[in-house]
Amino acid sequence: MANVTNNTQDLKELVKAKIDSFEVEELESRLEMEAWFDDVNVVCENKAAAEVSAA
Amino acid sequence: MNTNNLSFDKVIGQTKNHYQQYINGLPIAEDFKPYLLDDNFFENNPSMYLIYPKLFEEKFPIFSDEKLTLLCIAGYLYYRSVIENDTTLDNDELLSKNQMFTVVSSIAQEESIKVLSHLFGLDSPFWKYWNLRKGEYMKGLRMDKKYATFARSTNDLINLEKYEKKNFDTEVSIEEYEKIADYKSAFGKVAIDATYLLSGQNDQQAHQQMLASHALFSVGFQLMDDIHDLKKDIRNSQLNYAIQCLRNYCSNNQIEFQNRDPEQLHKFLYISGVASSLLELAINYFDRALACIEPYGLVLWKKVIEDKNTEAQKILKEVNVYNKLVDLRVELRHSKQKHPNLNFTFHKNTTLWHKIANDALKNLLDEWQKDFGEVKHIMYLSKAEGFTGDNEYHIGDVFQRALIAESLAEVNPFFDDQLDFVLENEVNYLLSRRIEHGVGGWNYFPSVPEIAPDADDLGQIIQVFVKSNHLNIGKEHFETPIKVLLSDNYKPNGGFETWIVPKNDQSLLQQLQDLFNETKWGKGPDTEVVANMLHGLQLLDESAYRQQIIAGCEYLINQQELTGFWKSRWYYGPFYGTYVTIRALSYAGLGEKNIQKAIDFILSSQKSNGGWGFIDDKSDPLSTALAMLSLCFERNDDKVKNALQNGINYIQGVQKADGTWAAVKFIAPKMNEPYSSTTLSSSFILKAVVNAYRKLFS
């Protein structure tokens, strides 16, 4: 982040803007999420199972 | 015991049963047993501590299930006593309030030693190891206190200037930190020593390698704890390597952090990249912990390390993704002025209604000049999740800008049509974001191929074009998506799918969109989308779509909840879905009783502060604006007059010093990723206030 700007004042403002925009609760909420692709796998498996039983 | 054949969870379950049986059979006062069997303790602490000796027994087999079980019970009881001691020592208030912690701790310790004496006898070399570990643990505690990061503070404000002076000479090196982590987990190493001795094997190298693996794992574990517990450790004066690294980062980059509260420091830990570096370091320790035991199998111990390693990698990835989202958000919100200043005359009237309308419109025009950077929705849709876009970060603002443009169009006459220029600009922007292939229309993220055009965007954009008198340049673009929606995606119950995808002769892209609709976004009519689209059709050509409007309203009526509101699939809280449904039914002149029931719901859910809300029973400005918009459809003025007046009083009360209102959870594209925008709050407030004013005073 320090590489973004060499100007101390700009850096201070950037830090402030990021702190204002950063929500720990939002990050923690994201950490609790299950991956979507797990759902896709389940759906695909269910579909495959349904096709097998239908055949 | 053959641990290979047992799943980790099953081993935990079996051992927990044995532990419970053991405690229930103890000849101690019954009053103490519930404390030792407390489910909260099991749930709030890592379950691996229940089976610690079993984690290492694969290399050093004991060949006696009874002995192994007793060893696990002794280990867990001792762990319990250590945790109780830590909790009370770290918390004076707790210690003075509840002496029970001390009693339970001593019972757990006594029972543990009793079992260990039974297993090893009094003259066993085990006690030499025991005393060694006890000594290490005490040493760990002493070192921990020596390096305590912050002086105890009576409030949340940390004076870093004071901290700099106080702790400059007591910085912990990574080598010292490794020792502390190892020493503090020394009682865990007793499990390795115990299985080593009980197995009768003399494989000292394996013993040492397992101890080394344990030490490395403990460092990684402690690093993750330090990131997680940053705020708590600051408040409790605990040693925390993360805060030390953060301080050094600030010092190296000449960033001052005087009088920052722990909340801000916690945010900065992530923003600065220090948290990511520490997570990478933790992953490195876990990898090395795994390498140490590679020749010995140790399926269960390996699983413990791998699980923690996976957790660290997941956190690292999410932190990096979230940091990038914040970077993009900051970049967009601080974008330079794109549109010119408007020579705009605001209302001079001094009524509260005019003042709030002026302020809300000022917010919107300020944001318009910056090209609505704040309303843009940024989402990370990864290739790992099946998305094929060139970029994994996507920025969307079509729907949000259509909502704002609709508000501006509605209030334009209230401001003597001074918004014509802005509206023309927004209409052209929306036209530029139209999908130019397939069925056309608009989608939520134009850069995501897997997202099909949808009825919510279409209905909203139709409303903008009609209300702003730009139908002549938009109408031709509405025909095909409406046709496909009302034929291929139409349902016998009067509803229709949210996604506009043709049923037959699908292109490869449309097949992909269909798959994503089924597996990720979800299919089936969504009440609020049907209501919003129906309103678009009502404004576009009510007579041409009369049949679908009547059937759609029947569908909406059937979706009403018993208490009177309408649920939303894509929006938080009950107020958005209820507002758009009341609007559709009211325009159609249908469902009078249902509207009344919904109005009663709105009136009865107004809070004592005059606002409405759905999070923790608190009012919020967005829900309040949506509830007020719903009340504008009530014919009985007397009934709603007070409610609207109290509503605007609430809105005035929560207006920030800069004239804006809080961003409130609004759109729900994906679980746990709410979208909110302070600009959208202003947009709905503007529309609500002007409509309510017209209703009450025109």
Side-chain angles (χ1 to χ4, degrees):
Chain A
M1 196 175 72
N3 296 332
V4 175
T5 173
N6 288 324
N7 184 306
T8 311
Q9 188 56 34
D10 285 353
L11 184 60
K12 271 184 185 174
E13 280 171 19
L14 186 66
V15 167
K16 188 189 177 303
K18 284 190 181 181
I19 285 179
D20 287 347
S21 294
F22 195 102
E23 301 289 342
V24 174
E25 195 186 307
E26 202 177 329
L27 172 65
E28 285 170 353
S29 172
R30 294 180 67 89
L31 290 174
E32 285 166 17
M33 271 191 308
E34 293 296 326
W36 251 342
F37 52 90
D38 288 347
D39 304 340
V40 177
N41 290 339
V42 169
V43 170
C44 292
E45 280 166 22
N46 289 345
K47 265 190 168 178
E51 280 165 15
V52 169
S53 61
Chain B
M1 194 188 88
N2 186 356
T3 47
N4 284 320
N5 297 333
L6 287 174
S7 76
F8 192 86
D9 290 344
K10 209 168 170 185
V11 178
I12 298 276
Q14 280 179 353
T15 314
K16 189 176 172 186
N17 279 342
H18 288 135
Y19 171 82
Q20 287 166 331
Q21 282 167 18
Y22 182 88
I23 298 297
N24 280 321
L26 280 178
I28 56 172
E30 290 298 317
D31 293 1
F32 295 129
K33 291 182 181 175
Y35 288 95
L36 291 166
L37 295 167
D38 181 14
D39 267 339
N40 286 331
F41 188 84
F42 288 118
E43 281 165 24
N44 296 332
N45 291 284
S47 56
M48 66 175 174
Y49 293 119
L50 259 168
I51 59 162
Y52 227 62
K54 291 182 183 177
L55 300 176
F56 306 100
E57 192 254 354
E58 190 185 334
K59 170 61 190 159
F60 297 131
I62 296 174
F63 303 113
S64 163
D65 281 351
E66 191 197 344
K67 280 185 180 175
L68 186 58
T69 302
L70 280 172
L71 199 56
C72 288
I73 292 169
Y76 196 64
L77 281 166
Y78 208 86
Y79 168 70
R80 179 77 205 251
S81 78
V82 169
I83 294 293
E84 299 291 6
N85 278 338
D86 275 2
T87 312
T88 47
L89 285 173
D90 288 346
N91 194 330
D92 295 340
E93 203 181 331
L94 197 63
L95 184 63
S96 61
K97 266 188 189 168
N98 197 349
Q99 296 296 330
M100 189 57 84
F101 282 97
T102 323
V103 180
V104 171
S105 170
S106 70
I107 291 174
Q109 207 169 91
E110 283 165 21
E111 280 302 322
S112 176
I113 301 297
K114 190 175 91 184
V115 173
L116 291 171
S117 302
H118 167 74
L119 285 171
F120 292 96
L122 293 179
D123 300 324
S124 165
F126 170 78
W127 299 108
K128 199 176 134 193
Y129 281 111
W130 176 263
N131 287 326
L132 173 68
R133 304 305 173 212
K134 202 160 78 173
E136 286 177 351
Y137 180 72
M138 295 310 292
K139 207 168 167 184
L141 286 186
R142 276 198 300 274
M143 289 170 78
D144 191 87
K145 291 291 167 205
K146 178 184 164 193
Y147 292 114
T149 311
F150 284 107
R152 207 172 276 269
S153 174
T154 50
N155 57 40
D156 282 345
L157 287 179
I158 303 303
N159 188 327
L160 278 152
E161 202 176 8
K162 206 162 144 189
Y163 159 70
E164 295 279 352
K165 284 176 191 161
K166 185 177 166 55
N167 291 287
F168 189 75
D169 296 328
T170 54
E171 186 163 286
V172 66
S173 66
I174 188 69
E175 291 79 15
E176 291 282 281
Y177 184 76
E178 283 176 355
K179 276 186 198 165
I180 295 170
D182 181 36
Y183 289 164
K184 282 180 74 183
S185 65
F187 284 116
K189 293 193 283 186
V190 173
I192 301 172
D193 301 330
T195 51
Y196 171 57
L197 290 173
L198 285 174
S199 73
Q201 287 187 23
N202 194 24
D203 190 341
Q204 284 182 23
Q205 194 191 349
H207 182 218
Q208 289 306 314
Q209 284 297 95
M210 284 155 73
L211 289 174
S213 172
H214 193 270
L216 290 164
F217 173 78
S218 302
V219 184
F221 195 94
Q222 189 61 54
L223 283 168
M224 288 180 70
D225 252 12
D226 282 359
I227 295 169
H228 186 263
D229 293 343
L230 187 102
K231 285 185 285 181
K232 197 177 84 184
D233 285 351
I234 290 172
R235 292 191 178 109
N236 289 336
S237 312
Q238 298 292 302
L239 165 66
N240 187 304
Y241 195 64
I243 193 74
Q244 181 180 297
C245 291
L246 187 62
R247 188 206 65 162
N248 288 339
Y249 176 90
C250 293
S251 173
N252 293 338
N253 292 285
Q254 295 171 327
I255 298 170
E256 289 174 27
F257 261 99
Q258 289 186 358
N259 296 322
R260 294 269 177 186
D261 67 28
E263 207 77 50
Q264 286 193 333
L265 287 175
H266 199 197
K267 289 181 182 191
F268 193 62
L269 178 73
Y270 293 111
I271 292 165
S272 60
V274 170
S276 297
S277 302
L278 291 175
L279 285 164
E280 281 166 7
L281 190 59
I283 290 166
N284 180 273
Y285 279 102
F286 294 138
D287 287 342
R288 286 159 63 198
L290 283 169
C292 285
I293 51 147
E294 213 263 322
Y296 311 117
L298 297 179
V299 174
L300 294 178
W301 175 237
K302 201 174 156 188
K303 180 173 164 38
V304 166
I305 304 171
E306 282 173 347
D307 282 356
K308 207 67 193 167
N309 204 353
T310 306
E311 188 189 332
Q313 287 177 29
K314 187 188 170 188
I315 296 172
L316 175 64
K317 190 187 164 197
E318 279 304 330
V319 167
N320 289 342
V321 165
Y322 188 67
N323 268 335
K324 171 85 175 164
L325 291 177
V326 170
D327 282 351
L328 287 168
R329 206 181 278 173
V330 168
E331 198 181 310
L332 290 169
R333 286 183 187 176
H334 294 78
S335 51
K336 288 182 182 148
Q337 186 167 327
K338 187 186 170 188
H339 298 296
N341 286 326
L342 288 173
N343 187 14
F344 200 91
T345 309
F346 287 95
H347 282 284
K348 300 280 188 296
N349 306 41
T350 52
T351 75
L352 180 57
W353 302 89
H354 289 88
K355 184 198 171 298
I356 297 289
N358 281 345
D359 290 350
L361 182 58
K362 273 178 200 160
N363 295 337
L364 295 184
L365 293 179
D366 283 350
E367 285 303 321
W368 173 74
Q369 286 179 335
K370 289 186 274 182
D371 208 31
F372 288 117
E374 195 273 339
V375 307
K376 293 185 201 297
H377 189 167
I378 312 161
M379 262 188 100
Y380 175 73
L381 300 169
S382 70
K383 288 191 166 59
E385 289 176 314
F387 291 93
T388 59
D390 294 336
N391 196 332
E392 292 187 309
Y393 293 88
H394 300 277
I395 300 173
D397 64 358
V398 169
F399 186 69
Q400 288 82 349
R401 285 174 79 153
L403 281 172
I404 293 168
E406 185 224 332
S407 289
L408 294 176
E410 269 204 35
V411 305
N412 196 19
F414 188 76
F415 289 97
D416 302 325
D417 296 332
Q418 294 178 86
L419 294 165
D420 282 349
F421 177 74
V422 177
L423 283 167
E424 192 179 338
N425 193 287
E426 288 307 289
V427 160
N428 284 328
Y429 175 75
L430 293 174
L431 272 182
S432 75
R433 306 307 282 166
R434 193 181 73 85
I435 301 169
E436 291 186 351
H437 52 79
V439 299
W442 287 261
N443 70 356
Y444 193 80
F445 283 117
S447 57
V448 183
E450 291 79 11
I451 300 182
D454 68 88
D456 215 7
D457 274 293
L458 180 62
Q460 190 60 43
I461 288 169
I462 293 172
Q463 292 170 45
V464 173
F465 277 71
V466 176
K467 289 183 184 180
S468 68
N469 300 316
H470 287 91
L471 193 54
N472 56 328
I473 56 167
K475 198 170 184 179
E476 61 174 307
H477 303 303
F478 304 143
E479 284 168 6
T480 307
I482 290 176
K483 196 176 158 196
V484 174
L485 179 70
L486 297 181
S487 54
D488 292 10
N489 298 284
Y490 199 71
K491 300 285 171 188
N493 61 5
F496 36 78
E497 292 284 354
T498 292
W499 309 109
I500 310 174
V501 184
K503 199 183 273 180
N504 303 312
D505 300 324
Q506 291 183 343
S507 65
L508 281 175
L509 181 64
Q510 286 163 337
Q511 287 174 31
L512 186 65
Q513 290 170 346
D514 235 5
L515 177 71
F516 272 68
N517 293 341
E518 199 170 325
T519 58
K520 292 189 192 299
W521 314 113
K523 288 182 97 169
D526 301 313
T527 310
E528 76 282 14
V529 177
V530 171
N532 204 29
M533 181 65 208
L534 285 181
H535 189 52
L537 296 176
Q538 287 168 337
L539 297 181
L540 185 64
D541 194 340
E542 189 164 23
S543 58
Y545 298 110
R546 186 68 192 157
Q547 191 191 333
Q548 288 91 343
I549 290 169
I550 292 171
C553 287
E554 279 303 313
Y555 166 80
L556 294 177
I557 286 167
N558 290 329
Q559 303 306 310
Q560 190 172 25
E561 297 292 313
L562 282 175
T563 44
F565 69 93
W566 278 273
K567 269 187 194 165
S568 291
R569 155 69 178 83
W570 297 98
Y571 302 84
Y572 283 86
F575 299 105
Y576 175 78
T578 302
Y579 159 58
V580 291
T581 307
I582 290 177
R583 184 179 63 181
L585 293 178
S586 185
Y587 267 79
L590 297 167
E592 198 176 333
K593 283 182 185 167
N594 302 82
I595 295 173
Q596 195 51 58
K597 198 174 174 184
I599 297 289
D600 290 343
F601 162 79
I602 300 276
L603 288 171
S604 66
S605 54
Q606 188 169 25
K607 301 190 190 300
S608 54
N609 62 3
W612 283 265
F614 62 96
I615 301 169
D616 299 336
D617 208 32
K618 286 180 186 160
S619 301
D620 68 72
L622 179 62
S623 298
T624 302
L626 291 166
M628 288 172 72
L629 280 164
S630 303
L631 291 180
C632 291
F633 290 98
E634 163 63 84
R635 290 188 191 143
N636 182 349
D637 281 355
D638 292 337
K639 210 172 178 181
V640 298
K641 193 174 177 181
N642 283 344
L644 289 172
Q645 187 61 54
N646 291 335
I648 196 169
N649 288 341
Y650 166 79
I651 283 175
Q652 183 195 27
V654 292
Q655 189 175 15
K656 294 182 187 174
D658 65 358
T660 64
W661 286 270
V664 181
K665 284 182 182 176
F666 182 45
I667 301 172
K670 189 179 172 186
M671 209 167 68
N672 290 3
E673 283 197 43
Y675 166 87
S676 60
S677 155
T678 174
T679 313
L680 275 189
S681 293
S682 285
S683 173
F684 280 107
I685 286 169
L686 173 65
K687 189 160 84 157
V689 167
V690 172
N691 277 307
Y693 180 81
R694 284 176 181 145
K695 178 177 177 60
L696 296 179
F697 304 107
S698 293

